[in-house]
Amino acid sequence: MSDPVVADTRRLLSRPQDLNDAYGPPSNFLEIDVYDPQVTGVGRNRYTTYEVRMRTNLPIFKLKDSVVRRRYSDFEWLKTELERDSKIVVPPLPGKALKRQLPFRADDGLFDEAFIEQRRSGLEQFINRIAGHPLAQNERCLHMFLQDESIDRNYIPGKV
Amino acid sequence: MSFFSFGQSADIDVVLNDAETRKKVEHKTEDGKKDKYFLFYDGETVSGKVNVTLKNPGKRLEHQGIKIEFVGQIELYYDRGNHHEFVSLVKDLARPGEMTQSQTFDFEFTHVEKPYESYTGQNVKLRYFLRATVIRRLNDISKEMDIVVHTLSTYPELNSSIKMEVGIEDCLHIEFEYNKSKYHLKDVIVGKIYFLLVRIKIKHMEIDIIKRETTGTGPSVYHENDTIAKYEIMDGAPVRGESIPIRLFLAGYDLTPTMRDINKKFSVRYYLNLVLIDEEERRYFKQQEITLWRKGDVVRKSMSHQAAIASQRFEGSAASESALEQAAKEESG
């Protein structure tokens, strides 16, 4: 057996890549937009809803393009469900802003434009982060949040 | 410093016979500094002279004997009092008596067994040293001289590659391959990562070399992990069918050979950790143990032998090129 003085560092043999794989759409496409804040209700029972649109090609999601309307407390519900049922460290939500619900404010409180934009952006970050988590994708609550018209709070929690 | 300043005292030092020719190597001390020490291998003879120099010439030095010891011991930092000696040799240089002038004593420890490599770690130290002592009733005069021992191995007969498919169901499947399972300290890790399924958004991939020092036995086992190297092998998002090559030169890192259950006291093992990081900073990793060994220094070979090796490699590459051509033909055919 000869004892090589210089190590052989040539690349290992690899399979050539299929050109469809190389140049086709990637299998990890997932984009969620949170936009179009609308205020519904009257007087003290007003609240803001946002449109949540998901576009994806991941097979685990039944719909490849879905649009739903959600409010802040729906996001809170999702966070609670995931924290209870899975071992995931769930990313933080934008703040609850309880102070903004108090009367006699100089600005528009919960309906202040700048605040809504800040919240919208935080919710968008939150949902994109959690929807891309392989373990969260197994939870029924996430699918219901993203793709069912309304959230059934009496649902049976479980895995997809 | 002797508190009893009346009477005679002496300096003692040890000099090796082959101090001029013997190689010295750098070795880390406990506080992280690097010092140079004489290098020995298993079976080599340790010989030299012990010089006892009287501080006050003319005065007598009474002693209970002069000796030199060769010691190999393991020291666990959490149990400093107990030194576990696995080699302990002693040579008497002088019987109890008195010295009227400075003297030099010859010593030789013939073909000393040095079964383990010197190691200074986070929680344990294995060292070899010579200790010359002038034994006295109240306080001995002694001097220690540390040496470093390296354990050498030859190319292992069996050195299979590591090839495995791992992943998360429906999310990420990769096949990783490393060309060997046993690498010498100046070797190169050649490998590749092949993506079978990518449904997550990967940002980059790196390979880390992790050293795990294990001390203690039974219920009180303690692992100390240290990331020796982090080497990025891919920046950007891969898709199915991509192969990412790995070429990691070990010579650039501070590594020791793998040490398994040394004298039943400690182990030092190395792992390759393949880490994929996605756009949300989530980490996906796969750890794989590798064996590191120390190769003896290269002996100069004749020119024709070097040429013979070079031509073998060239033939080898021609063979692999034709294999690739064949595979391409079969694909398109």
Side-chain angles (χ1 to χ4, degrees), chain B residues 25-287:
Chain B
V25 286
E26 272 192 1
H27 192 80
K28 211 170 32 152
T29 58
E30 211 178 303
D31 47 12
K33 284 192 294 213
K34 281 196 163 207
D35 262 333
K36 283 195 159 222
Y37 302 93
F38 285 110
L39 175 64
F40 281 86
Y41 298 107
D42 187 17
E44 281 194 297
T45 292
V46 185
S47 65
K49 301 185 194 309
V50 176
N51 300 318
V52 183
T53 317
L54 299 181
K55 283 207 181 135
N56 305 317
K59 271 197 164 165
R60 279 191 299 229
L61 176 73
E62 279 182 30
H63 63 83
Q64 266 64 53
I66 304 178
K67 63 176 179 179
I68 182 155
E69 298 165 277
F70 181 85
V71 179
Q73 71 182 28
I74 296 170
E75 221 176 279
L76 293 158
Y77 296 171
Y78 58 77
D79 186 20
R80 294 274 191 181
N82 290 324
H83 293 165
H84 306 275
E85 290 182 0
F86 54 88
V87 174
S88 181
L89 305 168
V90 64
K91 293 260 188 255
D92 286 319
L93 300 174
R95 281 202 305 262
E98 33 175 69
M99 274 172 67
T100 47
Q101 55 187 8
S102 303
Q103 259 190 289
T104 295
F105 304 91
D106 287 300
F107 71 88
E108 181 177 292
F109 293 101
T110 324
H111 302 313
V112 187
E113 211 185 287
K114 306 175 204 73
Y116 310 119
E117 172 144 332
S118 296
Y119 175 75
T120 303
Q122 302 265 58
N123 291 310
V124 61
K125 184 156 75 166
L126 189 154
R127 60 188 270 245
Y128 294 85
F129 57 93
L130 287 160
R131 180 169 53 211
T133 314
V134 176
I135 307 162
R136 298 200 297 176
R137 234 172 310 143
L138 290 166
N139 54 341
D140 296 343
I141 308 167
S142 90
K143 185 77 179 289
E144 281 183 8
M145 183 179 116
D146 272 58
I147 60 153
V148 163
V149 171
H150 282 175
T151 51
L152 301 179
S153 304
T154 50
Y155 279 95
E157 265 177 41
L158 234 60
N159 199 353
S160 50
S161 64
I162 301 171
K163 190 169 180 174
M164 236 184 257
E165 200 183 297
V166 292
I168 300 170
E169 187 89 25
D170 294 331
C171 281
L172 174 69
H173 288 187
I174 59 165
E175 184 192 77
F176 70 88
E177 185 178 346
Y178 305 127
N179 63 333
K180 303 182 198 174
S181 35
K182 300 173 189 159
Y183 292 94
H184 63 81
L185 300 183
K186 307 273 179 268
D187 215 334
V188 187
I189 299 176
V190 175
K192 72 176 209 293
I193 309 295
Y194 179 75
F195 287 91
L196 292 150
L197 181 71
V198 190
R199 294 218 180 106
I200 55 171
K201 295 178 187 172
I202 296 171
K203 199 166 59 168
H204 66 99
M205 179 164 65
E206 67 185 42
I207 195 160
D208 302 344
I209 302 177
I210 298 182
K211 171 175 144 184
R212 181 174 300 158
E213 181 191 284
T214 305
T215 46
T217 50
S220 59
V221 171
Y222 188 70
H223 299 293
E224 189 83 48
N225 288 330
D226 187 18
T227 304
I228 306 268
K230 277 180 185 241
Y231 191 74
E232 185 176 86
I233 55 174
M234 178 188 81
D235 182 19
V239 291
R240 177 172 60 199
E242 273 195 72
S243 288
I244 303 298
I246 298 168
R247 187 184 285 139
L248 181 51
F249 289 83
L250 294 177
Y253 304 106
D254 190 14
L255 302 168
T256 71
T258 293
M259 301 172 85
R260 288 204 174 88
D261 207 24
I262 299 300
N263 207 230
K264 300 206 201 305
K265 293 276 174 294
F266 72 95
S267 294
V268 181
R269 300 167 91 129
Y270 289 89
Y271 301 83
L272 288 179
N273 200 26
L274 181 71
V275 187
L276 292 98
I277 296 129
D278 75 11
E279 288 195 350
E280 303 298 345
E281 306 297 326
R282 287 181 284 255
R283 300 163 70 87
Y284 308 77
F285 62 90
K286 175 73 184 121
Q287 219 176 73

Side-chain angles (χ1 to χ4, degrees), chain A residues 2-18 21-31 57-60 125 128-135 137, chain B residues 155 168 171 175 177 179 187-188 190-192 194 196 198-202 239-243 245 247 249 280 282 284 295 298 301 305-306 309 312-313 316-317 320 324 331:
Chain A
S2 65
D3 183 331
V5 178
V6 180
D8 185 355
T9 62
R10 289 170 300 176
R11 289 191 183 186
L12 299 181
L13 244 60
S14 55
R15 295 155 253 202
Q17 188 181 24
D18 179 85
D21 286 338
Y23 294 104
S27 327
N28 59 4
F29 180 66
L30 173 66
E31 270 175 28
N57 64 1
L58 298 180
I60 196 157
Q125 254 185 47
N128 273 289
R129 276 175 80 178
I130 197 60
H133 196 304
L135 293 180
Q137 287 168 4
Chain B
Y155 279 95
I168 300 170
C171 281
E175 184 192 77
E177 185 178 346
N179 63 333
D187 215 334
V188 187
V190 175
K192 72 176 209 293
Y194 179 75
L196 292 150
V198 190
R199 294 218 180 106
I200 55 171
K201 295 178 187 172
I202 296 171
V239 291
R240 177 172 60 199
E242 273 195 72
S243 288
R247 187 184 285 139
F249 289 83
E280 303 298 345
R282 287 181 284 255
Y284 308 77
K295 186 159 77 102
V298 173
K301 297 190 188 331
H305 190 35
Q306 296 271 40
I309 295 170
Q312 271 182 3
R313 285 189 57 195
S317 78
S320 66
L324 274 172
E331 285 257 68

Side-chain angles (χ1 to χ4, degrees), chain A residues 20 24 31 33 42 49 54 59 63 65 73 77 79 81 91 123 125 129-130 136 139 142-143 151 154 157:
Chain A
N20 285 328
E31 270 175 28
D33 296 309
V42 285
T49 61
M54 180 171 90
L63 301 172
D65 196 339
S73 54
W77 169 87
K79 181 168 198 278
E81 292 298 298
L123 292 175
Q125 254 185 47
R129 276 175 80 178
I130 197 60
E139 298 291 330
L142 179 71
H143 290 259
I151 293 173
N154 297 318

Side-chain angles (χ1 to χ4, degrees), chain A:
Chain A
M1 268 298 279
S2 65
D3 183 331
V5 178
V6 180
D8 185 355
T9 62
R10 289 170 300 176
R11 289 191 183 186
L12 299 181
L13 244 60
S14 55
R15 295 155 253 202
Q17 188 181 24
D18 179 85
L19 289 179
N20 285 328
D21 286 338
Y23 294 104
S27 327
N28 59 4
F29 180 66
L30 173 66
E31 270 175 28
I32 305 176
D33 296 309
V34 176
Y35 59 100
D36 189 27
Q38 298 287 347
V39 178
T40 45
V42 285
R44 257 185 286 153
N45 299 321
R46 282 179 304 161
Y47 61 93
T48 310
T49 61
Y50 306 83
E51 192 144 289
V52 179
R53 181 177 182 193
M54 180 171 90
R55 277 167 298 177
T56 185
N57 64 1
L58 298 180
I60 196 157
F61 291 106
K62 254 203 308 204
L63 301 172
K64 302 299 175 241
D65 196 339
S66 64
V67 179
V68 294
R69 274 233 159 239
R70 295 284 179 257
R71 58 185 290 189
Y72 182 84
S73 54
D74 293 333
F75 284 82
E76 276 186 314
W77 169 87
L78 176 64
K79 181 168 198 278
T80 315
E81 292 298 298
L82 289 172
E83 277 172 345
R84 188 195 62 223
D85 290 340
S86 72
K87 298 192 189 76
I88 308 165
V89 173
V90 184
L93 275 172
K96 197 141 164 63
L98 289 165
K99 280 217 194 117
R100 284 187 176 264
Q101 292 180 39
L102 297 172
F104 310 123
R105 285 185 65 97
D107 61 16
D108 292 322
L110 274 181
F111 306 100
D112 179 63
E113 250 179 54
F115 167 72
I116 287 194
E117 172 50 33
Q118 213 182 55
R119 182 173 264 199
R120 182 209 68 76
S121 169
L123 292 175
E124 193 173 75
Q125 254 185 47
F126 167 84
I127 193 63
N128 273 289
R129 276 175 80 178
I130 197 60
H133 196 304
L135 293 180
Q137 287 168 4
N138 290 334
E139 298 291 330
R140 191 103 56 78
C141 55
L142 179 71
H143 290 259
M144 190 161 71
F145 178 94
L146 286 170
Q147 310 209 306
D148 287 3
E149 172 125 16
S150 54
I151 293 173
D152 174 14
R153 287 173 191 234
N154 297 318
Y155 85 118
I156 303 157
K159 307 270 185 258
V160 161

